[in-house]
Amino acid sequence: MFSLPSDDFKLDTTQFSISENPFKNYNGKTIGNIELIKLKALGTRMDKPDEKPKSFIQKTGNTVNFNTRERVILNNLLFSSGDIVDPLIIADNERILRELPYIKDARIYLKPREDNPEIVDVEIITKDVLALSFDIEARDFDSGVLRVNHKNIFGSGHEIDNRFSVDQSSDQRYSYQIRYRVPNIKRSFISFEANYANTVNQDFSSIKLQREFISPKIKFAGGIEFTNQRLRFTELSNIISDEEYDFQTINQRYDFQDFWLARAFPLNLKDPIRNERTRLIVSGRISNIKFTLRPEVDTELNQPFHNRTLAIGSVGISQRRYFKDQLIFGYGRTEDIPYGYQIELLGGYEWAEFGHRYFLGGKAGRGGYMGNLGYFLGGFSLESFLKNKIFEQGVFKADFRFFSSLIDLNRWKFRQFINVNYTYGIDRFSNEYIDIRDGNGIRGLKSNTLRGTQRFLINIETVSFTPFEAADFKLAVFGFYDLGMVNNGSKNIFSEKAQSGMGLGFRIRNDNLTFKAIEIRLAYYPDAPVGLPMTDLSLSGNSGFNFSDFLITKPSPSLFK
């Protein structure tokens, strides 16, 4: 399927750099005209915007795809003609455009006028993706799922995600789910989202309005959410081994309301860059959940199904700046890597039907590049509820992430990734646990017995971004080693027998499409629990990793998972 490209495998013209550096020389000048150059999804290049699509497939794909409308791009700008150039705001805006789900890449260029160098015209180049995606899952001769997703309806920037299911053997033969999202209403950067589902296991409807601190220029953030849901799910119980366990079906229905508001304040630091990038953020939130259908509850029974109202507030400091790089989690597009720090203190009070309690917590994180070695991100959090002077349902987390600088061996590019996590649950409820199975620790491992309230994980991965490509589909090969330990917290986690998984695989990705990367992985488990296979071959979609960018947002207790 794949062949070597005719020319050398090179990065695009964007090199590793601090995001605001290209705009520093124009600080304080006046913005003149704003020109948009919108590139189609297929057969175009950011470094050669005049290059046209050549193949029949490229031309056909571009014909059926709606290119993003000009007003949609202008709607996502933080500046206008006549404004004074602020390099940090321009850099923020370049990143914001790249984060749009219908944009693959974006560049902003400032060009001083020959007759008046104090005025700079702005050239914005954006490259679309093919916004339509779909997948079909055939489960049997009489059942299956069709999912149709569009990230840019008629070039408007609106998103819609539809999921149709058929199961002739089910109590409900036909099921439907839909999500509709407007990412930016009238240049306010307020997003609107509506969800609806009608399936055999779920009836769900919700609406949400939300605004985040996408840039330090934003002073206010907040959100409103209303949800009603009926859910039926299966929960394992009396687990003896991976072959011996019971299960029970749980039905629930609840109404949920959530309101939060945050305000960012400058700190008047002496360094002008740090002053622009650092904010003191004060936020408050109140949420309420009321169940109309649930299992039997009591003071010490099924606590997650208790009716409750939580008021919580936080105060914190956030500093965010960004580097631009490539070939980290993408396959050639420009990626924005945050560096900075976050410190946050939280406090609150919960009114519940079986007793009230306080909430206390703190979080801290820091990340950045260390010379030519690579990128480090570290953070920890400690939080707990306090009831009758006893801490309960608390958690301590410590995370460490690293990826190396790009190792360039001619046409082959390599990166090394390492993730380390430690989680400890403080007097968690009897039906709360963490595990090290697939998705939470050791890739592909499907054990139900490896669970508890204390966990230690190491994930190591070496990735080669190969020079092989076919029709803009690029190939990455990876090897990995995962190691995890878990117990109930009563003894040292390092005294536990470690479980591990190792293997090889490859990912195929076309950054011009909204499809996930296709991942094929073969894993081997040398000490697999009794009853589980020692190998696993999987085909799945890999959506990649999102950076934690030291953003302080809606205050909330951490998930224990």
Side-chain angles (χ1 to χ4, degrees):
M1 290 178 58
F2 296 88
S3 60
L4 286 169
S6 57
D7 55 351
D8 288 341
F9 179 51
K10 298 178 180 178
L11 296 180
D12 208 342
T13 53
T14 297
Q15 300 297 323
F16 172 80
S17 66
I18 297 175
S19 295
E20 65 268 18
N21 280 359
F23 314 114
K24 281 186 174 181
N25 293 336
Y26 307 101
N27 186 30
K29 298 184 183 295
T30 302
I31 295 175
N33 298 326
I34 299 175
E35 178 187 4
L36 301 183
I37 299 176
K38 300 182 298 169
L39 304 182
K40 294 184 179 298
L42 302 180
T44 58
R45 295 176 55 173
M46 293 293 294
D47 58 333
K48 296 181 180 180
D50 295 329
E51 191 171 291
K52 304 296 182 183
K54 298 177 182 178
S55 73
F56 173 78
I57 293 177
Q58 292 171 344
K59 294 178 181 178
T60 303
N62 290 332
T63 300
V64 300
N65 190 57
F66 288 92
N67 216 32
T68 304
R69 299 176 188 175
E70 183 172 304
R71 66 171 179 80
V72 175
I73 302 298
L74 295 175
N75 198 42
N76 284 280
L77 297 186
L78 297 169
F79 57 86
S80 304
S81 296
D83 289 352
I84 302 301
V85 172
D86 183 333
L88 295 167
I89 294 298
I90 303 295
D92 273 343
N93 219 147
E94 200 177 56
R95 171 182 55 83
I96 290 168
L97 292 174
R98 277 194 288 267
E99 289 176 348
L100 296 173
Y102 46 87
I103 297 295
K104 175 189 175 182
D105 209 341
R107 309 276 173 79
I108 297 178
Y109 298 99
L110 303 183
K111 299 182 177 182
R113 293 182 180 177
E114 293 184 359
D115 58 342
N116 186 355
E118 293 305 308
I119 297 179
V120 294
D121 294 324
V122 180
E123 181 181 84
I124 302 174
I125 303 177
T126 62
K127 178 176 169 62
D128 275 33
V129 297
L130 281 182
L132 176 65
S133 64
F134 63 91
D135 62 71
I136 299 174
E137 179 184 346
R139 296 174 177 170
D140 208 334
F141 290 108
D142 59 355
S143 65
V145 179
L146 170 64
R147 181 177 180 182
V148 181
N149 180 288
H150 205 299
K151 298 288 188 182
N152 195 7
I153 304 171
F154 301 117
S156 66
H158 295 195
E159 304 173 43
I160 190 167
D161 188 356
N162 299 276
R163 186 181 177 97
F164 308 87
S165 303
V166 178
D167 188 349
Q168 299 294 340
S169 62
S170 171
D171 295 336
Q172 182 174 334
R173 293 184 176 181
Y174 304 100
S175 300
Y176 179 62
Q177 300 176 59
I178 183 173
R179 181 181 71 93
Y180 187 84
R181 184 172 184 268
V182 182
N184 185 358
I185 302 173
K186 298 292 186 181
R187 207 176 180 180
S188 64
F189 294 96
I190 297 174
S191 65
F192 168 80
E193 183 176 317
N195 290 270
Y196 172 79
N198 185 309
T199 74
V200 66
N201 292 319
Q202 182 186 42
D203 288 320
F204 178 78
S205 59
S206 74
I207 58 172
K208 180 192 297 185
L209 286 167
Q210 184 158 288
R211 189 194 203 202
E212 300 280 6
F213 289 115
I214 60 171
S215 165
K217 182 179 179 180
I218 304 294
K219 294 181 179 180
F220 288 95
I224 303 173
E225 179 181 352
F226 298 95
T227 296
N228 175 272
Q229 178 167 236
R230 174 197 62 84
L231 189 63
R232 183 174 71 176
F233 61 94
T234 300
E235 185 174 81
L236 301 183
S237 61
N238 301 323
I239 300 173
I240 300 173
S241 70
D242 282 295
E243 297 174 312
E244 297 179 74
Y245 54 84
D246 297 327
F247 63 88
Q248 58 180 338
T249 299
I250 295 177
N251 290 282
Q252 63 169 314
R253 181 184 286 276
Y254 64 83
D255 291 300
F256 175 73
Q257 304 88 36
D258 192 17
F259 309 89
W260 70 281
L261 181 66
R263 174 70 158 91
F265 300 90
L267 292 178
N268 298 319
L269 303 177
K270 293 182 179 179
D271 186 299
I273 298 289
R274 292 183 178 179
N275 185 58
E276 284 291 321
R277 297 285 90 182
T278 309
R279 291 293 182 268
L280 171 70
I281 297 175
V282 179
S283 62
R285 174 193 181 193
I286 185 166
S287 61
N288 176 72
I289 185 168
K290 183 176 182 179
F291 290 88
T292 56
L293 177 65
R294 59 183 176 178
E296 181 184 355
V297 297
D298 204 339
T299 305
E300 302 297 329
L301 180 65
N302 289 321
Q303 293 94 333
F305 300 100
H306 289 181
N307 297 326
R308 57 194 182 273
T309 300
L310 175 65
I312 186 171
S314 77
V315 57
I317 298 176
S318 170
Q319 183 182 106
R320 294 182 290 156
R321 297 176 69 184
Y322 295 86
F323 285 101
K324 293 189 293 188
D325 205 346
Q326 294 180 325
L327 296 180
I328 304 172
F329 305 107
Y331 290 66
R333 60 181 176 83
T334 305
E335 299 177 67
D336 298 282
I337 306 98
Y339 69 102
Y341 64 86
Q342 167 194 352
I343 302 172
E344 185 178 12
L345 296 176
L346 301 99
Y349 193 76
E350 182 183 76
W351 294 266
E353 60 180 310
F354 293 104
H356 310 325
R357 56 184 184 168
Y358 294 94
F359 176 80
L360 301 169
K363 303 177 182 179
R366 185 174 181 85
Y369 279 89
M370 295 187 65
N372 295 323
L373 187 59
Y375 180 85
F376 291 84
L377 172 65
F380 71 88
S381 64
L382 175 62
E383 56 194 61
S384 180
F385 286 93
L386 180 64
K387 184 177 181 181
N388 299 327
K389 298 182 180 181
I390 298 175
F391 290 103
E392 67 177 18
Q393 208 180 9
V395 62
F396 171 77
K397 290 184 179 181
D399 283 288
F400 169 83
R401 297 177 184 269
F402 163 80
F403 64 80
S404 69
S405 298
L406 192 66
I407 302 169
D408 192 343
L409 300 180
N410 196 9
R411 299 161 70 91
W412 296 77
K413 321 294 180 182
F414 293 85
R415 282 196 196 270
Q416 182 69 52
F417 296 84
I418 301 174
N419 296 332
V420 180
N421 168 267
Y422 174 73
T423 303
Y424 181 80
I426 303 169
D427 197 16
R428 304 300 302 196
F429 297 147
S430 60
N431 53 358
E432 293 181 312
Y433 63 88
I434 49 180
D435 58 50
I436 58 173
R437 59 182 294 167
D438 185 32
N440 294 325
I442 300 176
R443 279 166 272 197
L445 188 64
K446 299 177 175 63
S447 172
N448 295 314
T449 60
L450 299 173
R451 56 169 63 179
T453 57
Q454 183 179 207
R455 177 179 63 195
F456 178 77
L457 290 170
I458 298 178
N459 305 109
I460 302 173
E461 182 173 290
T462 303
V463 179
S464 170
F465 298 93
T466 77
F468 300 104
E469 63 177 74
D472 289 330
F473 284 88
K474 298 181 180 180
L475 177 69
V477 180
F478 66 95
F480 68 92
Y481 178 77
D482 298 330
L483 181 142
M485 292 169 277
V486 63
N487 65 21
N488 61 9
S490 61
K491 60 179 180 179
N492 188 337
I493 187 67
F494 297 107
S495 65
E496 289 291 335
K497 178 183 177 181
Q499 294 290 328
S500 62
M502 61 192 76
L504 299 169
F506 61 86
R507 301 182 183 113
I508 304 169
R509 177 69 186 265
N510 187 335
D511 279 331
N512 297 315
L513 309 178
T514 57
F515 290 96
K516 297 178 181 179
I518 300 170
E519 179 177 292
I520 299 178
R521 181 187 67 227
L522 176 63
Y524 170 68
Y525 311 105
D527 298 303
V530 175
L532 294 182
M534 297 183 66
T535 59
D536 177 70
L537 178 63
S538 68
L539 169 64
S540 63
N542 186 300
S543 58
F545 170 78
N546 292 323
F547 289 103
S548 171
D549 68 349
F550 315 106
L551 175 67
I552 293 179
T553 180
K554 175 172 63 178
S556 179
S558 297
L559 295 176
F560 188 65
K561 58 180 288 186

